[in-house]
Amino acid sequence: MMHHYDEPVYLISIVSKMLDIHPQTLRQYERENLICPSRSDGRIRLYSQRDVDKIKLILRLTRELGVNIAGVDIILRLRESVDSMEKEIAELRHEVQRANNARSVSPDKALVTKRSTYEMIIFEE
């Protein structure tokens, strides 16, 4: 059965086995606000595939690159910020493309208006 990327389906015990980490480590990541698993009605933590991938990134940063938890937090925040900006840029590009497609005057022809100012000087004798 295929699950949606953001669908919370994994119990903490499953995630800890999948990633070979102690469940207490996952709880610590949650206390540090690095991850935010969903909760069932019975308050059981449920992780999505997105959560698992984020935990993999955290583990890579800490284990392979030696980044501490505070550094991981900064990296994750910057990553979210960059992702948000990239999404906004894509939306703006789409909007510009749509505006260009709706243009009634071809791009090589443009209506240009110029303002001229004339001053009148009167000489009195």
Side-chain angles (χ1 to χ4, degrees):
M1 173 192 286
M2 292 295 293
H3 297 284
H4 188 270
Y5 190 62
D6 291 315
E7 186 178 354
V9 293
Y10 302 111
L11 296 170
I12 192 169
S13 58
I14 301 300
V15 174
S16 68
K17 286 179 185 173
M18 283 172 43
L19 302 177
D20 193 30
I21 57 175
H22 198 280
Q24 206 55 271
T25 304
L26 293 171
R27 292 183 188 99
Q28 178 66 32
Y29 290 167
E30 185 178 358
R31 280 192 298 275
E32 297 287 340
N33 292 317
L34 298 177
I35 57 173
C36 187
S38 298
R39 299 282 183 147
S40 70
D41 293 336
R43 304 290 298 148
I44 296 172
R45 289 175 179 85
L46 292 173
Y47 297 84
S48 67
Q49 186 60 49
R50 182 180 305 278
D51 294 327
V52 171
D53 289 345
K54 190 172 186 180
I55 295 164
K56 286 179 183 178
L57 173 62
I58 293 167
L59 292 173
R60 182 171 179 268
L61 290 169
T62 56
R63 290 177 177 172
E64 295 175 26
L65 302 175
V67 179
N68 65 19
I69 296 297
V72 169
D73 183 43
I74 291 169
I75 290 168
L76 292 177
R77 289 175 194 261
L78 286 172
R79 185 174 182 213
E80 287 175 15
S81 179
V82 168
D83 289 346
S84 175
M85 284 187 256
E86 286 177 344
K87 182 180 177 186
E88 186 177 351
I89 288 169
E91 289 170 359
L92 290 170
R93 283 186 175 147
H94 179 71
E95 183 113 2
V96 167
Q97 185 64 41
R98 196 172 64 221
N100 284 338
N101 291 341
R103 179 183 284 165
S104 60
V105 178
S106 67
D108 59 329
K109 299 177 185 172
L111 178 61
V112 178
T113 59
K114 292 186 178 181
R115 274 181 59 191
S116 302
T117 305
Y118 295 98
E119 293 182 20
M120 186 180 289
I121 303 173
I122 302 174
F123 294 98
E124 292 184 23
E125 291 182 29

